[in-house]
């Protein structure tokens, strides 16, 4: 008898899904990192670096969009790889997804209290508990982190609809307030400052490459849209447009921030600023502008945390439904229809991160960024394979460029992976801690794979396709 397949409820609108991808993509990095980028590459190098990086990511997004429209199920990359490359490769893609999203969730969980400590140090930088990797862990920050974890546990527990409403409200506030504030600051800037910031300390080519090497990290997030595909109420075809939209809006935002800083801050002052984006807005809006940007940063971190919490729980659910995790992970709440056990695991990971502190979690985030790019590679390879082997497969959305788009996406994924792994790259992992963490995760995943190998071999392909994709075999019809 065919095993019963758990199915998530349709609850998310197009705006909810876009808010998931865009909210995860924007984050906090634009507040702290763009000053040093302009120093090295110049504002022209920053613009070209993000334009090229956004275009490369867009090719990955195109492949992801086509496959999402064909297979609108949660844990998208895992499902795509299962269909195209088989269960063994699907296991590895699923592992990379689970590790990446949980690590990102843990990083954002500890970042939220740190941002509050930046705003109100007298409140949040008191009563130190202990030190991890040279950074103190404070009691008020731990309490705040735990409260946020329980809040998002509750939001996700009662259903995707509430998650979608909260995520959408936050991203709408960010877009309206952010683009208005930054746009006016850009308009009132000094062209003479922009001209002197045009070129950085590196040669033009090296400057562009230095930005491009880091760009991959800034685009992590659009890949969370396929995790919402199963709960998306509209036509699956629209998922592709939402993926593309999140990448394009993110690119515009990054370029806008870079230009605004270049117009507002003289080149000589950039090295002295820890928060260049906030300082640049303050030139137009005064001290209020500085706090507006920090408020936007808080929204950026919370939306990334929220999307990571949601996506991590859905990936764990999808892997369990496909028999790669314990069955308990695939059980749904009888009233709310939510995967309660994966949601609980996500909350536990969030709370653990708060106790570890920022430095330790940062190692995990950087190390697991490489896993994000690896599952991008799997998605691109799955796209090419299915274009060749199943040309007549139902594709509500067809990516332009055909197989060539997939080839570019593969090359882009490899480039971003090498930019993280090669020691001489500007975006390289830190030796030895982050390389060690990357290798340890690979070893753990390999051990689990060896233990699960008998189950993977014994389970018929038709059963996997039913459980993961909802495809019925001819024998079962």
């Amino acid at each position: 008898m065919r095993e019963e397949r758990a199915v998530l409820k349709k609850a998310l609108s197009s705006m909810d899904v876009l808010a998931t991808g865009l909210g995860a993509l924007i984050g906090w990095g634009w507040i702290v990192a763009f000053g040093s980028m302009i120093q090295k590459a110049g504002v022209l190098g920053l613009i070209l670096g993000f334009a090229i990086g956004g275009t490369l990511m867009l090719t990955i997004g195109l492949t992801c969009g086509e496959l999402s429209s064909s297979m609108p199920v949660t844990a998208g990359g895992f499902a795509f790889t299962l269909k195209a490359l088989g269960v063994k490769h699907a296991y590895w893609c699923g592992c990379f997804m689970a590790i990446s999203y949980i690590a990102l969730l843990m990083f954002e969980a500890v970042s939220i209290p740190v941002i509050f400590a930046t705003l109100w140090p007298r409140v949040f930088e008191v009563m130190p508990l202990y030190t991890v990797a040279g950074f103190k862990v404070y009691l008020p920050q731990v309490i705040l982190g735990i409260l946020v974890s329980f809040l998002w546990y509750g939001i996700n527990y009662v259903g995707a609809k509430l998650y979608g409403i909260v995520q959408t409200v936050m991203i709408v506030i960010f877009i309206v307030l952010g683009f208005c504030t930054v746009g006016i600051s850009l308009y009132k800037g000094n062209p003479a400052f922009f001209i002197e910031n045009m070129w950085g300390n590196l040669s033009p080519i090296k400057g562009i490459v230095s930005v491009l090497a880091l760009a991959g990290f800034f685009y992590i997030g659009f890949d969370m849209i396929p995790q919402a595909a199963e709960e998306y109420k509209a036509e699956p075809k629209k998922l592709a447009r939402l993926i593309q939209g999140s990448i394009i809006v993110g690119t515009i935002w990054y370029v806008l921030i870079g230009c605004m800083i270049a117009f507002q801050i003289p080149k000589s002052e950039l090295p002295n600023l820890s928060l260049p984006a906030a300082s640049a807005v303050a030139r137009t809006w005064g001290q209020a502008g500085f706090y507006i940007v920090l408020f936007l940063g808080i929204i950026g971190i919370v939306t990334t945390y929220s999307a990571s919490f949601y996506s991590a729980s859905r990936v764990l659910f999808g892997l369990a439904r496909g028999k790669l995790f314990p069955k308990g992970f695939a059980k749904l709440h009888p009233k709310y229809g939510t995967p309660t056990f994966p949601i609980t695991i996500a909350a536990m990971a969030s709370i653990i991160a708060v106790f570890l502190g920022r430095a330790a979690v940062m190692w995990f985030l950087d190390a697991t960024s490489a896993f994000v790019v690896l599952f991008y590679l799997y998605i691109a390879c799955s796209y090419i394979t299915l274009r060749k082997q199943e040309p007549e497969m139902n594709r509500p959305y067809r990516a332009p460029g055909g197989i060539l788009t997939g080839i570019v996406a593969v090359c882009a994924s490899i480039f971003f992976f090498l930019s993280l792994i090669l020691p001489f790259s500007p975006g390289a992992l830190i030796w030895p801690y982050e390389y060690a963490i990357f290798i340890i995760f690979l070893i753990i995943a390999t051990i689990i794979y060896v233990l699960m190998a008998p189950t993977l071999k014994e389970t018929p392909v038709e059963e996997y396709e039913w459980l993961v994709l909802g495809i019925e075999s001819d024998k079962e019809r």
Side-chain angles (χ1 to χ4, degrees):
M1 178 181 280
R2 186 180 67 192
E3 187 175 336
E4 186 178 353
R5 179 176 183 267
V7 180
L8 297 171
K9 293 180 179 180
K10 302 288 185 184
L12 298 176
S13 67
S14 294
M15 191 61 204
D16 298 335
V17 175
L18 178 62
T20 296
L22 186 58
L25 186 149
I26 289 177
W28 163 267
W30 55 274
I31 291 183
V32 297
F34 279 30
S36 61
M37 284 188 183
I38 293 173
Q39 291 177 59
K40 294 177 182 179
V43 66
L44 185 60
L46 183 145
I47 292 170
L48 292 175
F50 274 103
I52 296 170
T55 302
L56 292 176
M57 279 296 175
L58 194 57
T59 62
I60 299 172
L62 289 171
T63 63
C64 193
E66 177 172 306
L67 295 176
S68 296
S69 72
S70 300
M71 293 167 270
V73 296
T74 196
F78 166 65
F80 311 153
T81 309
L82 175 69
K83 176 71 173 175
L85 304 174
V87 67
K88 292 181 180 179
H89 287 288
Y91 166 83
W92 286 105
C93 183
C95 276
F96 297 155
M97 293 173 69
I99 292 169
S100 302
Y101 288 153
I102 290 174
L104 183 59
L105 168 67
M106 293 176 73
F107 173 74
E108 301 301 339
V110 77
S111 296
I112 293 172
V114 169
I115 300 305
F116 275 83
T118 302
L119 286 168
W120 298 286
R122 293 182 179 180
V123 177
F124 291 98
E125 289 190 346
V126 296
M127 292 181 281
L129 299 175
Y130 47 83
T131 301
V132 178
F135 286 82
K136 292 181 180 179
V137 177
Y138 297 93
L139 179 60
Q141 295 184 30
V142 170
I143 293 173
L144 177 61
I146 292 173
L147 291 175
V148 170
S149 300
F150 275 110
L151 176 60
W152 253 261
Y153 172 79
I155 290 171
N156 282 269
Y157 191 89
V158 299
K161 184 175 182 179
L162 179 58
Y163 155 78
I165 292 172
V166 173
Q167 187 78 354
T168 297
V169 169
M170 288 191 294
I171 205 64
V172 168
I173 293 172
F174 184 97
I175 290 173
V176 174
L177 183 60
F179 276 91
C180 288
T181 304
V182 173
I184 293 173
S185 297
L186 176 63
Y187 175 75
K188 293 189 174 183
N190 189 334
F193 294 162
F194 185 85
I195 293 173
E196 70 178 51
N197 281 311
M198 187 78 74
W199 308 106
N201 301 327
L202 301 176
S203 66
I205 299 299
K206 287 183 178 180
I208 294 171
V209 172
S210 70
V211 174
L212 194 55
L214 298 171
F217 175 80
F218 283 89
Y219 285 100
I220 293 174
F222 75 87
D223 46 273
M224 295 185 187
I225 288 178
Q227 316 322 322
E230 191 166 322
E231 294 169 282
Y232 181 45
K233 294 187 292 187
E235 298 176 1
K237 181 179 181 179
K238 294 182 180 179
L239 288 167
R241 300 300 184 194
L242 298 176
I243 291 171
Q244 295 162 30
S246 66
I247 296 172
I248 292 170
V249 174
T251 301
I252 293 171
W253 176 254
Y254 292 145
V255 170
L256 185 66
I257 290 294
C259 290
M260 186 269 298
I261 293 173
F263 268 105
Q264 287 285 351
I265 307 294
K267 189 173 184 178
S268 59
E269 295 183 20
L270 278 175
N272 304 320
L273 301 176
S274 58
L275 300 172
S279 299
V281 171
R283 297 293 178 101
T284 298
W285 296 85
Q287 192 66 14
F290 188 88
Y291 285 104
I292 287 174
V293 173
L294 289 184
F295 174 67
L296 292 172
I298 290 174
I299 294 178
I301 283 185
V302 173
T303 54
T304 304
Y305 172 83
S306 177
S308 302
F309 196 115
Y310 169 83
S311 299
S313 65
R314 270 39 179 190
V315 167
L316 293 176
F317 164 78
L319 294 176
R321 188 168 61 180
K323 291 191 171 183
L324 295 187
F325 267 58
K327 287 185 178 180
F329 282 74
K331 290 183 179 180
L332 299 178
H333 191 280
K335 179 180 179 180
Y336 302 120
T338 51
T340 52
F341 195 46
I343 290 171
T344 303
I345 295 298
M348 290 173 61
S350 177
I351 292 171
I352 290 170
V354 174
F355 284 96
L356 286 175
R358 184 177 181 86
V361 176
M362 188 69 190
W363 292 343
F364 281 90
L365 176 69
D366 288 346
T368 54
S369 295
F371 291 120
V372 177
V373 181
L374 286 176
F375 82 71
Y376 288 171
L377 180 60
Y378 262 124
I379 290 173
C381 290
S382 298
Y383 168 89
I384 293 173
T385 301
L386 290 173
R387 275 289 184 124
K388 288 182 176 180
Q389 295 182 357
E390 299 192 29
E392 303 304 319
M393 185 178 78
N394 179 41
R395 292 176 171 86
Y397 171 82
R398 296 183 69 90
I403 291 178
L404 179 61
T405 298
I407 293 172
V408 176
V410 167
C411 294
S413 301
I414 293 172
F415 169 80
F416 287 122
F417 178 73
L418 293 177
S419 70
L420 290 166
I421 295 299
L422 296 179
F424 55 80
S425 167
L429 303 180
I430 297 173
W431 177 267
Y433 306 106
E434 294 178 354
Y435 284 95
I437 292 170
F438 177 76
I439 294 169
I440 288 170
F441 272 122
L442 280 179
I443 292 172
I444 293 172
T446 302
I447 292 172
I448 296 174
Y449 176 80
V450 171
L451 294 174
M452 292 191 61
T455 303
L456 298 178
K457 290 180 181 179
E458 292 171 5
T459 306
V461 174
E462 293 80 9
E463 186 173 350
Y464 279 120
E465 290 189 342
W466 161 246
L467 292 172
V468 177
L469 300 168
I471 298 174
E472 295 183 83
S473 68
D474 293 334
K475 296 178 183 179
E476 295 171 329
R477 290 184 181 132

